[in-house]
Amino acid sequence: MDDVKSNDSLILYIQNLFHDSADLIVRKISWKDGDGIVCFLSTMTESSEVNKQIEILRLRSIAELPNWAGTATSSVEAFSVPKLIKTVTNGFVAIFFPATNLLLTITIPSFEVRSTTEPNNEIVIRGAHEGFVESIDKNISLIRKHLLISDLVVKDVKLGEDTNTKVTYVFIESIADKDVVNEVKSRLENIDRTKIYSIGQIEDYLEDSLWSPFPQFLNTERPDRAVANLLEGKIVLFTDQSPSALIAPVNFFSFYETPDDFNGRVIVSSFFRMLRIFSFVIAVFLPAYYIAVVGFHSEVLPYDLSMKVKTAVEFIPYRPIVEALIVELFIEVIREATIRLPAPIGPTIGIVGGLVIGDAIVNAGLVSNLMVVVVAMTAISSFVVPSVEMNTTIRIIRFPFMLAATLFGFFGIAIGTIILFIHLMNRSSLSQPYLSPVVPFDPSRFKNIFFRIPYFKNHKQQQTFTHGTGRRKRRGRN
Amino acid sequence: MNFNLSRNQFFLILFVVQSGSSFFSFPSPFVNAAGRDAWLVFIVAGALHYMLLLFYERNYKNFKIGPFVGWLYKIYWLFLTIVYMAYIDYTLAVWGFPETPQIIVIAVLVTVSLYANLSRAETVINLSVMLIPLIFVFVIFLQFAWKDLVWTNLFPFGESTGAEWAKGFLKAQIAFIGSELYVFFRKHVDSKQKIKGRPLFFYQILWFTFFFFSVLIVILYYTPRGLERLPEPLLFLLKAQEVTFVERLDLFFLYIWTVWTIITIVIISFAALYVHRLHFNEHQKRDTIIWHIFLVLLPLFFLSKGFVEKLNDVIIYLYLVFGLFIPLIVILMNRRKQK
């Protein structure tokens, strides 16, 4: 009678632990050496499998098999309340035997995972049309599907006492720089925070320079991109419940490469790669150049063009910087609106915003039509970069250039360019130089910035950048 | 300060400092001083430059300086950067910012140097890389003057007097300024990379070709009398070029030159701070900031045209002291000590 009473109170205790959650199942089951208490979350566990697995284990126990609890999906260990909570919240089935103080764990979780569809923010024309999903296991399987080698190492770290989030880093043992792998491991282990729930948090902790506008991790949802980077000796990180993978160490030019380059024809891919690099120049410098020309150096333009510019800006009441800011702000607002709106309405807002309002503000004399052309070209150029993070960075860094051009014309742009160059040289990704292979100069990889080299010419296995260069101590940021 | 240089980085630093500020302003005083045989004078000066480099290469290990010589070099480089700063500021005031207070332009220039020198040594070392494409663009656009070159301007040669040759040699030293960094930075070059022999000769050829080209193009483009009135003949040459996409090509190159000068100032400041840290290694950040405060304030006293010209004349003599005389004395003394 006392046993029954104590089992009932245990059930109540467990129910209280989970605040009487509706999806919590706590039942008493009979076992060979006394009763057990089975406990699991019905929303996270394959309920139809629970009875089958329990039955198998019960028979093994009755048959008194040595290590009866050790099967492919189950294990037994000493009971403790934190272990019970961890087991249940992970979607496993926990069976507690009060008589022996053992906790039997059966691994049959069931999570809803969406199918692998092509990521919307990384569309390619030629290449695989599958993307990562919100499950690490499925993401790792997508990578393993491409790389049938034993050298592919998958390491797990659990972060956050409250969230117990699984962070996985993947690398190819024979190619990845061991120092870089150790660096990742040590940085992950030094994260001391109770709640870790997104890949962005991990990125904050792992980045070398958090206050730089330039991303130091490549963010991708494409398995083929992750695999290509793994084969270059880089490390890929995942967090559970996130479809994005972080790739590092990367350099500035990594953000301008896309899987299309490697599936397209050599000349065509090289042309588009150069076009993307050129688009960076347009996206950052064009509005500043226009402001400098209108405000300081109209004499640099050929006479006919100069006359057109003067005619266009003659009746505009604002200075070029104000004009530029009006149109830039307008474009940013439209962009933000089209992202947030449902897919069927987004393009409509783009058309209404871009064409109707754009035409109206020119007719109203608020901005010149040339400024609209300049800012539109700039916006389009910034969208050419196949990385969302670098895209946003480029959109931000053109504002200081516009300000510099307003204050000092070409001189301001020249000064801004040197400062940008110094800033990029000071940056690193997992302690590897960010401007590699330009600085430090590596002739063997320099051409890869502009050209997609034919595969049969790629004899040299790329290791992780120039080992040891630009290495420096990272400040603690926990 | 501990840093390593590759052979290419070492030569690039030397090249940028040697050509940095003086490249645009060098041809005019040189050709005016050397007369019609300026190109011949420069060939001989080029040979002397190579001999100087060979001397440096042979003896750099014996170039060890104490705090006193260190201070002399710091003052020399401070003077050099002030002259460069005053010159570029004066040029910018003439060509671009007649209304802007000069202290603002100088402060902006110095801010860049401060940022670079507060960064890692590798940043300063590699900063010159951004000039490489600009130098190519510059040379390509100078080719546009090809059709206007008068090749008979080279003849007759052998007409310059002995005094003109002597003056020419003296003015040719402008192109040598900065070579003294060789004896300071040579020991930081990766010991596995060879400098002696072919690499050094290749650098000499590069340096010579670059300056000789500028001298030659100026002689071929301008008449001797026309050149006397032009302080920056290469900029005027670019101004005269007609291209379809821009009207004033020279303006772009004025700002390329500005970038070139800023990077030269960054490297010279780096060299001065490097020498300072050889003997006073504490308070690195504070010393860097103090150095740059000097760079902002001191050029303000030398901003008139007359001052800039006088300072440019003085630099040549200072170079002879710090590029040749002091290294010679220091090397000889150290060799004697070793014996």
Side-chain angles (χ1 to χ4, degrees):
Chain A
M1 188 64 193
D2 281 351
D3 284 354
V4 174
K5 205 171 179 179
S6 73
N7 282 344
D8 286 345
S9 61
L10 259 174
I11 288 171
L12 270 175
Y13 174 73
I14 293 170
Q15 279 171 339
N16 281 339
L17 267 181
F18 291 87
H19 304 283
D20 217 4
S21 185
D23 60 342
L24 180 73
I25 310 288
V26 191
R27 299 265 195 284
K28 196 165 62 180
I29 56 168
S30 53
W31 209 260
K32 186 184 144 225
D33 300 323
D35 287 345
I37 295 166
V38 64
C39 176
F40 63 93
L41 292 169
S42 61
T43 47
M44 293 180 71
T45 311
E46 191 66 56
S47 303
S48 59
E49 277 293 310
V50 174
N51 282 341
K52 282 186 202 167
Q53 292 298 324
I54 290 176
E55 204 45 45
I56 291 167
L57 289 165
R58 197 200 308 272
L59 290 173
R60 285 171 66 90
S61 160
I62 291 165
E64 292 188 346
L65 291 178
N67 191 19
W68 58 267
T71 69
T73 54
S74 63
S75 61
V76 72
E77 58 191 325
F79 173 81
S80 71
V81 173
K83 275 182 195 165
L84 175 78
I85 294 172
K86 194 176 164 187
T87 307
V88 174
T89 51
N90 273 315
F92 304 155
V93 177
I95 305 173
F96 170 45
F97 302 106
T100 51
N101 202 36
L102 288 175
L103 181 72
L104 176 65
T105 302
I106 307 172
T107 315
I108 41 172
S110 165
F111 302 107
E112 279 305 315
V113 179
R114 68 181 167 91
S115 59
T116 55
T117 52
E118 182 161 26
N120 287 329
N121 56 359
E122 283 181 276
I123 304 286
V124 296
I125 296 165
R126 288 183 68 183
H129 295 281
E130 61 185 5
F132 290 131
V133 291
E134 291 78 4
S135 157
I136 285 191
D137 294 341
K138 202 156 184 178
N139 292 341
I140 300 292
S141 78
L142 285 170
I143 286 182
R144 283 215 182 267
K145 202 170 74 176
H146 286 83
L147 293 169
L148 311 174
I149 49 173
S150 60
D151 242 5
L152 183 70
V153 180
V154 179
K155 297 278 184 195
D156 282 345
V157 180
K158 290 274 187 181
L159 295 176
E161 276 176 36
D162 292 354
T163 51
N164 201 27
T165 305
K166 186 160 89 169
V167 178
T168 302
Y169 57 99
V170 186
F171 56 93
I172 297 177
E173 175 69 31
S174 53
I175 305 174
D177 187 329
K178 284 183 179 53
D179 288 348
V180 178
V181 174
N182 290 336
E183 183 90 27
V184 170
K185 190 179 172 220
S186 126
R187 288 188 192 184
L188 282 172
E189 285 170 354
N190 281 330
I191 297 177
D192 180 20
R193 199 181 161 91
T194 50
K195 295 176 180 65
I196 294 284
Y197 48 86
S198 77
I199 194 95
Q201 285 177 297
I202 304 290
E203 195 173 358
D204 269 14
Y205 279 101
L206 296 184
E207 276 194 336
D208 292 16
S209 324
L210 186 61
W211 296 105
S212 168
F214 286 89
Q216 292 132 51
F217 279 78
L218 183 67
N219 219 308
T220 185
E221 292 185 27
R222 300 192 60 86
D224 52 352
R225 205 174 189 185
V227 167
N229 280 286
L230 280 170
L231 288 169
E232 287 181 356
K234 291 168 193 165
I235 300 168
V236 179
L237 289 111
F238 296 95
T239 55
D240 218 355
Q241 312 310 318
S242 172
S244 295
L246 293 177
I247 299 171
V250 287
N251 59 36
F252 174 77
F253 305 100
S254 306
F255 295 89
Y256 284 86
E257 291 175 1
T258 157
D260 269 335
D261 290 353
F262 302 97
N263 294 319
R265 301 189 60 74
V266 172
I267 291 174
V268 177
S269 300
S270 302
F271 171 74
F272 285 113
R273 193 174 279 189
M274 282 187 261
L275 193 73
R276 269 180 243 127
I277 301 282
F278 182 61
S279 77
F280 169 79
V281 178
I282 295 178
V284 175
F285 294 105
L286 187 61
Y289 177 79
Y290 179 78
I291 290 168
V293 166
V294 172
F296 285 84
H297 314 289
S298 54
E299 68 271 25
V300 297
L301 296 178
Y303 180 73
D304 294 342
L305 185 58
S306 179
M307 287 306 293
K308 280 181 184 166
V309 172
K310 280 179 181 160
T311 311
V313 299
E314 195 175 3
F315 298 107
I316 303 300
Y318 303 119
R319 294 181 65 83
I321 180 74
V322 181
E323 250 190 290
L325 287 176
I326 290 172
V327 188
E328 288 282 1
L329 193 71
F330 178 58
I331 291 223
E332 290 300 318
V333 168
I334 293 175
R335 192 193 63 83
E336 197 64 19
T338 45
I339 291 171
R340 309 289 161 221
L341 282 169
I345 309 173
T348 317
I349 290 294
I351 292 165
V352 172
L355 294 180
V356 181
I357 303 176
D359 189 46
I361 58 169
V362 170
N363 289 336
L366 289 174
V367 295
S368 66
N369 46 9
L370 273 175
M371 182 56 89
V372 174
V373 172
V374 165
V375 175
M377 270 301 295
T378 309
I380 292 167
S381 299
S382 70
F383 291 124
V384 169
V385 52
S387 157
V388 179
E389 301 82 53
M390 188 55 94
N391 171 343
T392 47
T393 301
I394 289 169
R395 290 211 311 274
I396 287 170
I397 60 166
R398 66 173 172 247
F399 289 105
F401 276 95
M402 283 157 60
L403 192 65
T406 306
L407 293 174
F408 296 107
F410 286 162
F411 176 65
I413 298 175
I415 295 292
T417 308
I418 304 177
I419 290 175
L420 176 67
F421 199 70
I422 295 172
H423 178 80
L424 288 172
M425 282 199 294
N426 282 340
R427 299 285 73 81
S428 55
S429 169
L430 287 179
S431 305
Q432 304 294 316
Y434 196 61
L435 264 192
S436 167
V438 176
V439 178
F441 188 62
D442 181 352
S444 64
R445 291 197 297 121
F446 180 72
K447 57 185 181 297
N448 294 358
I449 296 173
F450 304 102
F451 301 103
R452 202 279 266 169
I453 309 299
Y455 286 113
F456 61 83
K457 293 226 170 186
N458 277 340
H459 297 305
K460 194 179 164 192
Q461 171 62 55
Q462 187 183 322
Q463 293 280 338
T464 313
F465 301 118
T466 312
H467 181 80
T469 313
R471 196 164 284 274
R472 63 180 173 153
K473 202 174 176 185
R474 181 177 171 269
R475 61 198 159 80
R477 209 177 42 235
N478 288 333
Chain B
M1 195 188 285
N2 194 18
F3 59 90
N4 287 317
L5 292 169
S6 72
R7 186 172 58 199
N8 291 342
Q9 285 171 329
F10 174 64
F11 284 137
L12 188 60
I13 285 176
L14 272 187
F15 181 77
V16 168
V17 174
Q18 288 196 270
S19 59
S21 179
S22 58
F23 179 63
F24 272 96
S25 57
F26 162 70
S28 182
F30 172 68
V31 175
N32 286 331
R36 197 165 275 278
D37 290 344
W39 61 283
L40 281 175
V41 175
F42 195 78
I43 291 173
V44 180
L48 290 176
H49 180 260
Y50 186 47
M51 285 162 68
L52 181 69
L53 293 182
L54 289 173
F55 168 73
Y56 286 158
E57 175 59 25
R58 198 183 161 96
N59 295 293
Y60 74 92
K61 283 179 186 160
N62 289 316
F63 187 78
K64 289 165 192 159
I65 56 168
F68 175 69
V69 177
W71 275 110
L72 288 180
Y73 270 98
K74 279 180 265 179
I75 293 166
Y76 163 61
W77 281 324
L78 183 65
F79 179 77
L80 203 62
T81 43
I82 287 167
V83 174
Y84 286 172
M85 201 86 78
Y87 189 62
I88 195 71
D89 185 72
Y90 168 71
T91 313
L92 282 171
V94 171
W95 290 70
F97 304 107
E99 305 293 330
T100 311
Q102 286 172 316
I103 189 168
I104 291 178
V105 176
I106 289 176
V108 171
L109 292 169
V110 172
T111 306
V112 178
S113 175
L114 177 66
Y115 179 35
N117 277 292
L118 286 176
S119 306
R120 292 175 293 162
E122 287 90 345
T123 302
V124 177
I125 289 162
N126 290 315
L127 191 58
S128 325
V129 171
M130 74 179 289
L131 280 177
I132 295 173
L134 301 180
I135 293 169
F136 277 112
V137 171
F138 171 68
V139 172
I140 288 167
F141 277 103
L142 277 184
Q143 307 290 332
F144 282 23
W146 187 265
K147 61 183 184 304
D148 299 321
L149 302 182
V150 181
W151 291 90
T152 49
N153 283 357
L154 291 176
F155 306 104
F157 56 81
E159 290 210 333
S160 292
T161 62
E164 282 176 324
W165 271 76
K167 276 186 195 169
F169 272 131
L170 203 59
K171 292 286 180 189
Q173 302 305 308
I174 297 172
F176 289 39
I177 294 171
S179 61
E180 69 276 7
L181 293 186
Y182 196 106
V183 281
F184 286 93
F185 291 154
R186 173 64 180 90
K187 60 176 172 279
H188 291 281
V189 178
D190 186 353
S191 55
K192 289 175 197 157
Q193 295 188 330
K194 195 181 150 198
I195 294 278
K196 212 173 182 176
R198 203 178 289 176
L200 189 61
F201 182 69
F202 182 75
Y203 172 71
Q204 162 66 17
I205 292 292
L206 187 79
W207 172 90
F208 177 76
T209 310
F210 193 71
F211 278 99
F212 188 66
F213 174 71
S214 74
V215 169
L216 206 59
I217 208 161
V218 164
I219 293 173
L220 298 179
Y221 192 83
Y222 294 101
T223 60
R225 184 166 289 179
L227 194 60
E228 284 170 14
R229 295 177 199 149
L230 298 173
E232 292 94 23
L234 292 174
L235 271 184
F236 281 92
L237 188 153
L238 286 163
K239 188 177 180 182
Q241 300 313 305
E242 286 183 11
V243 287
T244 51
F245 50 93
V246 284
E247 193 71 22
R248 291 278 307 275
L249 206 52
D250 55 312
L251 273 182
F252 289 101
F253 288 94
L254 172 68
Y255 294 106
I256 289 179
W257 181 26
T258 309
V259 172
W260 210 325
T261 306
I262 292 170
I263 293 175
T264 306
I265 289 165
V266 169
I267 296 172
I268 294 175
S269 299
F270 175 75
L273 292 165
Y274 161 78
V275 169
H276 183 70
R277 285 166 199 167
L278 288 178
H279 309 110
F280 310 96
N281 204 19
E282 293 164 6
H283 310 299
Q284 291 191 3
K285 196 176 261 185
R286 186 199 68 185
D287 295 344
T288 307
I289 292 168
I290 290 172
W291 170 269
H292 285 89
I293 290 172
F294 280 133
L295 289 191
V296 175
L297 297 178
L298 293 179
L300 298 175
F301 298 103
F302 309 100
L303 288 175
S304 71
K305 192 185 175 211
F307 258 130
V308 169
E309 283 173 356
K310 271 182 197 161
L311 293 176
N312 269 329
D313 287 339
V314 173
I315 278 183
I316 298 167
Y317 299 101
L318 281 178
Y319 169 73
L320 289 175
V321 173
F322 287 91
L324 197 63
F325 184 67
I326 293 182
L328 191 70
I329 299 289
V330 171
I331 288 165
L332 286 176
M333 281 176 73
N334 282 323
R335 279 171 65 168
R336 205 172 159 184
K337 266 185 206 169
Q338 280 178 358
K339 279 178 186 172

